């Protein structure tokens, strides 16, 4: 069963109203989408995006009872600025971007998102488009691969791992790649060794986690999509409409935080300029001054929510 992260917080911050128009840019398991439709009943409408065809099929079944109040399309939310008006969502009351990988995707065989079991090294949200993770791992030069691992996964041993990958490829499965990472930078399977015990205390996640994150982000161009989608939200939101973004790692959260801060500024002139000449007006107002995280109770019931971070902003009237 799909468990939407920060569900009640999303409903509380987006404040759905009857007759309101909303966009879910990453519908996934449809948990948040159903909540928005329920809270905006009897005539609120929702436009739902997802790049994953399996998510579209699943969400369509879950939300069938809300027809014709919901429109579900397979597309990247980065394109919502052009696509949403075509479906009558030119001005909306709220936009949600849940950037996390769904449990269904993590557990699905044949997708390659997880290294918990042996699987093909794919990682594409849309399996019909673009290069796979295997394509990147097996064809990128050592320097480019190291740069990818550092930029998108903040992998400290990026050069060492890239060198090992280039020496040992080709790779076809998730297990092959994960095993190589463990072999190169260690894990804590050896008992009785003081260094290993210290390593175990200091490392809380599997060493391949950030490597897989980096490849998935690169394969799906996730950070570029986020930046484009955030810009599109400005024009789509009505005055006082709200944007809510749930991120799951520091790269995403940093982009969202900086975007809200930049769009909330009253002046964009250089700091050293004594007089403002830009005549800029703020477009957003930060609703959450600090990042919102799941409660201990939610993390206990849904451990995958532990890294979630929510930021919310409101479209400024007249901006």
């Amino acid at each position: 069963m799909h468990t939407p992260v920060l569900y009640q917080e999303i409903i509380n911050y987006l404040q759905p109203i009857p007759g309101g128009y909303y966009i879910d840019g990453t519908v996934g398991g449809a948990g948040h989408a159903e909540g928005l439709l329920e809270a905006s009943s009897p005539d609120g409408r929702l436009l739902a995006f997802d790049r994953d065809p399996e998510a579209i099929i699943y969400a369509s079944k879950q939300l069938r009872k809300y027809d014709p109040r919901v429109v579900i399309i397979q597309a990247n939310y980065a394109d919502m600025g052009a696509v949403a008006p075509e479906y009558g969502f030119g001005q909306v009351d709220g936009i949600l971007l849940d950037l996390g990988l769904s449990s269904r995707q993590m557990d699905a065989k044949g997708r390659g998102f997880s290294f918990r079991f042996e699987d093909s090294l794919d990682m594409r949200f849309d399996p019909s488009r673009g290069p796979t993770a295997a394509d990147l791992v097996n064809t990128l030069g050592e320097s480019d691969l190291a740069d990818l691992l550092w930029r998108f996964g903040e992998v400290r041993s990026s050069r060492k791992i890239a060198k090992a990958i280039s020496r040992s490829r080709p790779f076809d499965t998730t297990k092959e790649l994960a095993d190589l990472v463990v072999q190169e930078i260690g894990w804590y399977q050896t008992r009785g060794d003081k260094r290993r015990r210290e390593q175990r205390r200091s490392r809380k996640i599997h060493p391949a986690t950030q490597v897989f994150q980096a490849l998935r982000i690169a394969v799906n161009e996730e950070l570029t999509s986020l930046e484009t989608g955030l810009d599109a939200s400005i024009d789509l939101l009505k005055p006082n409409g709200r944007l809510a973004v749930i991120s799951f790692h520091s790269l995403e959260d940093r982009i969202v935080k900086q975007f809200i801060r930049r769009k909330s500024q009253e002046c964009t002139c250089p700091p050293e300029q004594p007089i403002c000449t830009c005549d800029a007006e703020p477009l957003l107002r930060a609703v959450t001054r600090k990042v919102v995280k799941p409660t201990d109770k939610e993390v206990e019931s849904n451990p995958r929510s532990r890294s979630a971070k929510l930021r919310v902003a409101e479209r400024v009237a007249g901006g």
Side-chain angles (χ1 to χ4, degrees), residues 110-185:
R111 304 301 300 275
F113 290 118
S114 174
F115 47 79
R116 290 185 297 106
F117 42 80
E118 189 161 16
D119 204 353
S120 59
L121 201 55
D122 193 312
M123 300 192 194
R124 291 173 297 176
F125 290 152
D126 182 350
S128 68
R129 296 188 178 186
T132 66
D135 292 330
L136 298 184
V137 166
N138 293 326
T139 63
L140 284 179
E142 183 180 321
S143 177
D144 289 338
L145 186 56
D147 182 59
L148 181 154
L149 295 178
W150 174 250
R151 286 172 53 215
F152 299 140
E154 298 178 314
V155 179
R156 292 183 179 180
S157 303
S158 58
R159 293 183 182 277
K160 183 178 182 180
I161 294 174
K163 184 176 182 179
I165 288 174
S166 65
R167 184 179 64 239
S168 306
R169 55 194 178 190
F171 291 86
D172 297 313
T173 70
T174 54
K175 187 176 185 302
E176 290 174 347
L177 181 58
D179 286 349
L180 176 103
V181 175
V182 172
Q183 177 183 324
E184 288 300 313
I185 63 175

Side-chain angles (χ1 to χ4, degrees), residues 30-49:
H32 291 118
E34 185 163 10
L36 292 172
L37 286 164
E38 283 289 339
S40 64
S41 63
D43 53 352
R45 298 194 65 204
L46 176 74
L47 176 62
F49 290 81

Side-chain angles (χ1 to χ4, degrees), residues 238-259:
K238 295 178 181 178
N240 303 318
R242 289 188 170 185
L243 167 69
V245 185
I246 303 175
S247 61
F248 286 82
H249 56 76
S250 59
L251 297 175
E252 293 173 335
D253 182 58
R254 192 178 303 130
I255 290 173
V256 177
K257 179 181 179 180
Q258 292 176 351
F259 172 80

Side-chain angles (χ1 to χ4, degrees), residues 11 17 21 30 62 78 147 165 187 213 241 275 279 302 308 314 317:
I11 300 303
I17 58 174
Y21 277 57
Q62 294 296 108
D147 182 59
I165 288 174
W187 194 221
Q213 171 191 299
I275 300 175
D279 296 324
N302 180 18
E314 184 175 276

Side-chain angles (χ1 to χ4, degrees), residues 226-237:
L226 176 57
E227 292 170 346
T228 304
L230 291 174
D231 285 335
S233 70
I234 295 289
D235 293 329
L236 289 173
L237 284 170

Side-chain angles (χ1 to χ4, degrees), residues 7-299:
Y7 172 84
Q8 196 56 55
E9 287 83 351
I10 288 298
I11 300 303
N12 291 343
Y13 278 113
L14 287 187
Q15 303 175 341
I17 58 174
Y21 277 57
Y22 302 91
I23 292 176
D24 186 340
T26 49
V27 68
H32 291 118
E34 185 163 10
L36 292 172
L37 286 164
E38 283 289 339
S40 64
S41 63
D43 53 352
R45 298 194 65 204
L46 176 74
L47 176 62
F49 290 81
D50 209 293
R51 297 164 68 180
D52 190 332
E54 294 183 9
I56 294 297
I57 294 172
Y58 182 81
S60 298
K61 292 179 180 178
Q62 294 296 108
L63 302 177
R64 184 178 299 162
K65 62 182 178 181
Y66 297 101
D67 285 342
R69 293 172 51 206
V70 59
V71 178
I72 304 174
I73 58 175
Q74 184 183 349
N76 189 338
Y77 71 83
D79 300 325
M80 64 182 173
V83 175
E86 296 178 3
Y87 290 88
F89 287 78
Q91 289 283 276
V92 300
D93 298 278
I95 297 174
L96 167 64
L97 302 178
D98 178 359
L99 306 177
L101 200 64
S102 73
S103 296
R104 291 176 59 83
Q105 289 171 316
M106 286 288 291
D107 298 335
K109 295 289 184 71
R111 304 301 300 275
F113 290 118
S114 174
F115 47 79
R116 290 185 297 106
F117 42 80
E118 189 161 16
D119 204 353
S120 59
L121 201 55
D122 193 312
M123 300 192 194
R124 291 173 297 176
F125 290 152
D126 182 350
S128 68
R129 296 188 178 186
T132 66
D135 292 330
L136 298 184
V137 166
N138 293 326
T139 63
L140 284 179
E142 183 180 321
S143 177
D144 289 338
L145 186 56
D147 182 59
L148 181 154
L149 295 178
W150 174 250
R151 286 172 53 215
F152 299 140
E154 298 178 314
V155 179
R156 292 183 179 180
S157 303
S158 58
R159 293 183 182 277
K160 183 178 182 180
I161 294 174
K163 184 176 182 179
I165 288 174
S166 65
R167 184 179 64 239
S168 306
R169 55 194 178 190
F171 291 86
D172 297 313
T173 70
T174 54
K175 187 176 185 302
E176 290 174 347
L177 181 58
D179 286 349
L180 176 103
V181 175
V182 172
Q183 177 183 324
E184 288 300 313
I185 63 175
W187 194 221
Y188 36 69
Q189 295 177 343
T190 302
R191 297 182 179 181
D193 184 293
K194 181 179 179 181
R195 183 177 63 84
R196 292 286 186 177
R197 289 199 298 273
E198 291 175 349
Q199 189 178 41
R200 179 171 187 171
R201 285 194 293 269
S202 64
R203 183 178 292 145
K204 298 180 181 180
I205 62 174
H206 191 284
T209 299
Q210 291 171 294
V211 172
F212 273 63
Q213 171 191 299
L215 289 170
R216 193 201 77 223
I217 290 175
V219 165
N220 298 290
E221 299 181 327
E222 293 177 46
L223 300 187
T224 301
S225 293
L226 176 57
E227 292 170 346
T228 304
L230 291 174
D231 285 335
S233 70
I234 295 289
D235 293 329
L236 289 173
L237 284 170
K238 295 178 181 178
N240 303 318
R242 289 188 170 185
L243 167 69
V245 185
I246 303 175
S247 61
F248 286 82
H249 56 76
S250 59
L251 297 175
E252 293 173 335
D253 182 58
R254 192 178 303 130
I255 290 173
V256 177
K257 179 181 179 180
Q258 292 176 351
F259 172 80
I260 294 175
R261 178 182 296 170
R262 187 169 64 252
K263 296 300 181 181
S264 300
Q265 292 178 346
E266 295 184 357
C267 175
T268 59
C269 295
E272 64 273 12
Q273 183 172 312
I275 300 175
C276 175
T277 58
C278 67
D279 296 324
E281 295 183 1
L283 300 176
L284 293 176
R285 176 185 68 85
V287 176
T288 52
R289 296 297 175 181
K290 295 183 178 180
V291 68
V292 178
K293 299 181 179 180
T295 62
D296 292 341
K297 182 178 180 181
E298 179 173 359
V299 173

